[in-house]
Amino acid sequence: MSQWEGIRAPHLRLALLLLLVFLKSPLCNSQNTHGAPQDESHFSFTQPVYHATIYENSAARTYANSKIKMGIHLAQHSWEIRYRITSGDDDGFFKAEEYVLGDFCFLRIRTKGGNAAILNREIQDNYVLTVKASVKGEALLETWTKVSIQVLDMNDLRPLFSPTTYSVTIAESTPLRTSIAQVTATDADIGSNGEFYYFFKEKTELFAVHPTSGVVTLSGRLNVDEQNRYDLEILAVDRGMKLYGNNGISSTAKLFVHVERLNEHAPLMNVLTHSPSWLDKNLVYAVVTVEDQDEGLNGEIDSLVIVGGDPSEQFFVDRTKEGEFAIKAFESISQTYPYGCNLSLQAKDRGTPQKLSAVEVIQIKVEKHQNSDAKFMQELYDVSLNEISPPGTLVVAVKITPEPDDAEYILTTSADSSFFQMNTLTGVISTARWFTQVFQDVFNLEVVEMDSNLKVKVRVTIEDANDHTPTFAQSSYEVFVNESVPVATSVLTISAVDKDKGENGYITYSISSLQPLPFKINQFSGVISTTEELDFESSSESFMFIVRASDWGSPYRRESEVNVTIHLENVNDNQPLFEKVACQGIIPEDFPVNEVITTMSAIDIDELELVKYKIISGNEQGYFDLNPDSGVLALQHSLSRAHPKSGLFSLKITATDGESFSDPMFVNISVVYGKSSSKRFTCKETNVAQKLAEKLLKKSKASNKPKIEEGFIDLFSVNRQTPQFDKTFPTDITVQEDLKVGSSVFNVNPDQDTMTKSGLSIHPSIRYR
């Protein structure tokens, strides 16, 4: 051999070796696939857990990056390894691939192609995949590993303002560099991708915005005469590298700045005094006109206040119109201030800041009058009135004795007196307004007889009437209840209120349903609880019924109703059940490989969940294969060399829905040697399917029941009919001047048809007084 040939031989062998490596199939296999593996203990991943990374929004067929190699060393060149993701990829983002290089089968994880979904870190930033490795043709050679894939952030989101509109009001005198507002934006990206800064869309000399905090400050002098409102637009710009070529601007926030005028002038008062006679019905002692030279809100008068001279608080200020006030007294001041008094007044405007006028002192004079020996028939008139009394209802009649012919009764003006009116000649007090919307229980009135200046107190107590219907806190109630809750569990609280008082406002609850329900309600608290065990699989999935709230009012109770819906939530509380158990049979020793022996069938009542099947024991030698999805039991290896004890295989099989396992069942398979025979199998029926059908039928019947009965109507709450006068009602009435007091003048007859429909019978008459 020449020197050249000695050098060329090693290079030739190296070239041949590299050629074999590149021609090798990307699948983890070799040419020889015969024979059982002898190195099962070496069939495992290099690590139980791998860590890899991949960017969100990665294109299809993008591989995850791992700092260490992932995969299995090929202890046997005959192994043909397949990788498959078994769990952790519910959305189908990833695919496992094999790649052989030398004596190592690499595991590569990549994103799927086609229309597969795109990774989004903001939705899920980590996936833990369980990868199964198996050798083709070798059922016992299986191993697993976990791959933790961290989804890395891309700058795919833009900053967003929340809220997008801001409004502030500042004074014209606001100092420079004052913080007047702050805008806020957020970016769901992380790290530098989530950083951004603020700036004005259009340059302004009067305002500045901090680029990172969003605080807006005043940088120029304001002049409300030039401009009293500024509409500013603020943008947020992403600092990170822009994805897809966008400019980083997400949304625009609008900031409205309103400028208030300075309050320069104080109010000025002009007073006109008056000395009312004791005969005057309206005791006005002065009229004050207030002016302010400012414009807008700064020039409006807020109030006029008595700041001194009235320790007994006999006087009050009544605004008659804008800028004009009247100084009045609650009653005659002749007893409190017999020689008059001096009142100090001060006005205040509505500007910012508010300004006060100079204090003005006015002199109040009292006009003397003669007292009378007459007196009222009662020292205090104390009467009761139902709150549903309409306007015009007679309350009480007051009278002095002896009563002169020209007696005149006046109701002293007060907040309480606005609800009543008085006949000045007869002394009869009647109602002027409704009391149903008033929360005051007692009204104190004062009546003055003008000729004698005698006064008397009248106290009217308002009695509560059942004029309010219970009102529920919600227009309807809906709740979801776990089917596994124990009996007597509280699932919902119904609440209603009644504005009436006492028993008129006391509420009890009841359930209205034509169908039996597994619920009851506490009549006092409104708590709805279960009365029996709930079962999603055999009962209706939703219960819809009516809850009625009733008060204890009189003469009749008022009621209202609300719709309640209770949904049952399904719980995986049933284990899979086999349709057939105790299976046994025979097969010949020459039974074909991959031929179906029998089929397992199990049912999960919980929403018919998919069931997986598994051999627990009895298949240590791997002669049988049980499809985990279909339950098909088939022969995996020839039985020609199998010699089980007494010619019998006893397979222990279970089924699972992913959470619960069924009771195991046994399949006993006898192998017949030496003579021709056919497959025969028998099993014991459990009638699971029939029981399931009965449950589903029961559930269907429950679901087809009427859901909600016709709603209840509170007939007393609706005033449907209006009174009608008889057609013969005259347009005028003639009365003789010498008719005696108390004589009947005319009978009023409403339309009897209308009154009968309303359940009323009224025959009023008009009498002469």
Side-chain angles (χ1 to χ4, degrees):
M1 178 181 298
S2 66
Q3 183 180 2
W4 172 253
E5 290 175 343
I7 295 174
R8 186 177 55 183
H11 286 280
L12 181 59
R13 287 194 298 271
L14 179 59
L16 291 175
L17 179 60
L18 292 175
L19 181 61
L20 289 175
V21 171
F22 285 111
L23 292 177
K24 184 180 288 290
S25 169
L27 301 178
C28 295
N29 64 342
S30 69
Q31 299 302 318
N32 183 15
T33 59
H34 301 288
Q38 302 300 322
D39 246 333
E40 298 179 4
S41 62
H42 294 85
F43 185 69
S44 63
F45 284 94
T46 58
Q47 290 190 17
V49 178
Y50 297 101
H51 296 276
T53 59
I54 190 171
Y55 280 96
E56 64 174 328
N57 303 311
S58 293
R61 298 180 178 84
T62 299
Y63 288 91
N65 182 30
S66 173
K67 293 184 178 181
I68 62 173
K69 64 180 182 179
M70 302 184 295
I72 299 173
H73 286 283
L74 297 176
Q76 296 290 332
H77 290 290
S78 60
W79 287 349
E80 184 178 337
I81 299 177
R82 294 291 187 273
Y83 295 133
R84 181 168 63 90
I85 298 174
T86 60
S87 66
D89 186 21
D90 298 335
D91 297 321
F93 285 127
F94 303 100
K95 177 177 178 59
E97 288 186 351
E98 313 87 3
Y99 184 79
V100 173
L101 185 60
D103 62 348
F104 192 79
C105 183
F106 284 90
L107 166 62
R108 301 195 299 181
I109 305 295
R110 68 169 176 84
T111 56
K112 289 185 177 180
N115 296 324
I118 300 299
L119 292 172
N120 190 335
R121 184 202 63 80
E122 286 73 30
I123 296 178
Q124 185 171 347
D125 62 356
N126 184 264
Y127 296 84
V128 179
L129 310 179
T130 300
V131 179
K132 175 183 177 183
S134 61
V135 177
K136 184 177 181 181
E138 301 296 340
L140 296 180
L141 286 182
E142 295 180 347
T143 185
W144 287 264
T145 189
K146 291 187 180 295
V147 181
S148 176
I149 298 181
Q150 183 70 31
V151 181
L152 302 180
D153 185 60
M154 294 287 288
N155 192 16
D156 59 338
L157 295 176
R158 305 172 179 179
L160 296 175
F161 281 99
S162 178
T164 59
T165 303
Y166 302 81
S167 180
V168 295
T169 300
I170 61 176
E172 183 184 28
S173 58
T174 302
L176 296 180
R177 292 182 291 278
T178 300
S179 299
I180 62 172
Q182 183 177 19
V183 297
T184 304
T186 57
D187 192 323
D189 290 319
I190 59 177
S192 62
N193 293 335
E195 295 179 356
F196 55 91
Y197 64 90
Y198 306 94
F199 72 96
F200 285 120
K201 184 177 181 180
E202 296 182 359
K203 184 177 180 181
T204 174
E205 300 295 336
L206 293 178
F207 304 95
V209 60
H210 193 278
T212 57
S213 67
V215 174
V216 179
T217 57
L218 183 65
S219 59
R221 295 292 181 183
L222 299 173
N223 189 335
V224 73
D225 292 324
E226 295 179 359
Q227 189 171 349
N228 60 5
R229 169 175 162 171
Y230 296 88
D231 297 345
L232 307 176
E233 291 188 75
I234 303 175
L235 306 179
V237 175
D238 204 323
R239 291 188 177 187
M241 183 179 67
K242 312 304 183 296
L243 185 65
Y244 309 129
N246 69 68
N247 58 10
I249 297 176
S250 62
S251 63
T252 301
K254 291 188 176 182
L255 174 61
F256 301 105
V257 181
H258 303 270
V259 182
E260 291 183 336
R261 184 182 298 275
L262 289 174
N263 190 13
E264 299 178 358
H265 302 282
L268 299 175
M269 289 187 293
N270 182 23
V271 181
L272 177 63
T273 58
H274 175 64
S275 298
S277 170
W278 61 275
L279 296 175
D280 290 343
K281 300 178 182 179
N282 192 10
L283 300 178
V284 178
Y285 290 88
V287 176
V288 182
T289 303
V290 185
E291 297 179 347
D292 194 311
Q293 297 180 10
D294 290 311
E295 296 180 1
L297 193 64
N298 295 329
E300 295 182 6
I301 305 304
D302 179 70
S303 61
L304 177 67
V305 182
I306 299 174
V307 296
D310 184 24
S312 300
E313 297 183 353
Q314 292 287 98
F315 297 92
F316 66 95
V317 179
D318 183 21
R319 183 191 291 265
T320 56
K321 60 182 179 179
E322 185 63 33
E324 184 176 290
F325 302 86
I327 307 301
K328 298 182 179 181
F330 291 107
E331 57 186 11
S332 175
I333 65 172
S334 58
Q335 300 295 327
T336 308
Y337 303 112
Y339 303 104
C341 61
N342 294 325
L343 296 182
S344 299
L345 307 177
Q346 190 174 42
K348 179 170 58 176
D349 63 21
R350 294 177 179 172
T352 304
Q354 286 187 323
K355 289 200 172 186
L356 302 176
S357 70
V359 176
E360 183 84 14
V361 179
I362 62 173
Q363 185 179 14
I364 303 298
K365 297 180 180 180
V366 177
E367 183 175 322
K368 302 294 183 179
H369 61 275
Q370 299 293 328
N371 291 327
S372 173
D373 294 332
K375 64 178 181 179
F376 279 93
M377 298 180 66
Q378 296 183 25
E379 293 183 359
L380 172 68
Y381 290 87
D382 198 349
V383 294
S384 298
L385 183 69
N386 194 292
E387 71 167 332
I388 60 174
S389 300
T393 301
L394 299 182
V395 179
V396 68
V398 298
K399 188 180 293 292
I400 63 172
T401 180
E403 183 182 37
D405 294 337
D406 58 349
E408 183 179 6
Y409 300 93
I410 300 297
L411 199 60
T412 302
T413 302
S414 67
D416 291 356
S417 67
S418 62
F419 288 85
F420 302 90
Q421 57 189 2
M422 167 165 272
N423 187 316
T424 58
L425 298 179
T426 62
V428 173
I429 300 175
S430 59
T431 60
R433 294 163 58 182
W434 287 96
F435 295 86
T436 53
Q437 301 298 325
V438 179
F439 299 100
Q440 187 174 343
D441 296 332
V442 178
F443 290 82
N444 294 303
L445 309 177
E446 182 184 66
V447 177
V448 179
E449 199 284 310
M450 298 302 296
D451 184 53
S452 61
N453 199 33
L454 292 175
K455 302 175 182 178
V456 70
K457 301 289 185 181
V458 179
R459 182 170 60 199
V460 181
T461 303
I462 304 299
E463 297 179 343
D464 183 68
N466 190 22
D467 58 336
H468 290 97
T469 301
T471 303
F472 286 97
Q474 299 178 201
S475 59
S476 63
Y477 291 84
E478 185 173 13
V479 69
F480 291 83
V481 179
N482 193 309
E483 67 167 330
S484 62
V485 298
V487 176
T489 297
S490 299
V491 298
L492 178 63
T493 299
I494 305 298
S495 176
V497 295
D498 193 316
K499 295 181 180 179
D500 292 315
K501 300 176 182 178
E503 290 192 349
N504 291 337
Y506 190 78
I507 297 175
T508 54
Y509 305 90
S510 62
I511 291 178
S512 174
S513 175
L514 298 178
Q515 305 297 331
L517 297 171
F519 306 99
K520 67 177 181 179
I521 189 170
N522 185 299
Q523 62 174 333
F524 302 109
S525 66
V527 174
I528 297 178
S529 56
T530 59
T531 58
E532 59 187 67
E533 292 185 352
L534 305 176
D535 187 9
F536 183 88
E537 287 72 33
S538 62
S539 68
S540 175
E541 297 179 8
S542 299
F543 296 90
M544 289 180 281
F545 53 91
I546 290 174
V547 170
R548 181 172 297 161
S550 174
D551 63 24
W552 287 29
S554 62
Y556 55 84
R557 295 186 176 187
R558 289 184 178 271
E559 297 179 341
S560 60
E561 296 178 343
V562 69
N563 293 332
V564 177
T565 304
I566 299 179
H567 302 281
L568 291 188
E569 291 183 327
N570 191 13
V571 176
N572 188 8
D573 56 350
N574 292 285
Q575 65 181 125
L577 300 174
F578 282 101
E579 293 190 73
K580 296 179 181 180
V581 296
C583 295
Q584 58 184 1
I586 61 173
I587 59 174
E589 64 173 334
D590 58 350
F591 193 79
V593 176
N594 296 329
E595 186 73 19
V596 177
I597 298 175
T598 186
T599 301
M600 306 295 104
S601 177
I603 296 176
D604 188 352
I605 298 179
D606 292 310
E607 293 290 339
L608 302 179
E609 295 285 349
L610 295 178
V611 177
K612 300 285 187 179
Y613 305 89
K614 184 179 181 181
I615 299 175
I616 300 176
S617 63
N619 191 32
E620 287 75 12
Q621 299 178 0
Y623 284 101
F624 302 96
D625 175 67
L626 178 61
N627 188 298
D629 299 313
S630 64
V632 172
L633 179 66
L635 188 63
Q636 187 166 264
H637 298 294
S638 173
L639 296 172
S640 60
R641 297 183 181 180
H643 295 285
K645 295 180 180 180
S646 303
L648 176 65
F649 288 94
S650 181
L651 303 180
K652 187 177 181 181
I653 298 174
T654 186
T656 179
D657 58 6
E659 294 183 11
S660 303
F661 288 85
S662 68
D663 295 333
M665 65 163 288
F666 289 88
V667 178
N668 296 320
I669 304 174
S670 299
V671 181
V672 179
Y673 295 92
K675 59 179 180 179
S676 176
S677 64
S678 59
K679 178 188 74 173
R680 296 195 302 275
F681 262 86
T682 61
C683 299
K684 181 180 178 181
E685 296 285 345
T686 61
N687 296 325
V688 173
Q690 180 179 352
K691 294 177 181 177
L692 174 60
E694 292 174 354
K695 267 199 168 187
L696 294 177
L697 180 59
K698 182 179 179 181
K699 181 183 182 71
S700 176
K701 290 182 178 179
S703 300
N704 291 331
K705 291 179 181 179
K707 300 302 181 184
I708 291 188
E709 294 78 20
E710 183 178 356
F712 170 79
I713 299 176
D714 187 352
L715 296 178
F716 297 105
S717 300
V718 181
N719 186 9
R720 300 180 179 277
Q721 306 294 337
T722 58
Q724 301 290 333
F725 284 105
D726 189 88
K727 296 180 180 179
T728 60
F729 191 86
T731 58
D732 58 75
I733 303 173
T734 302
V735 180
Q736 295 180 355
E737 63 176 346
D738 58 350
L739 189 65
K740 295 182 178 180
V741 174
S743 301
S744 295
V745 177
F746 182 73
N747 288 329
V748 180
N749 294 313
D751 185 3
Q752 293 302 313
D753 290 337
T754 303
M755 302 305 289
T756 302
K757 291 177 184 177
S758 302
L760 303 174
S761 180
I762 302 175
H763 298 282
S765 61
I766 298 176
R767 296 181 179 272
Y768 174 71
R769 182 174 184 181

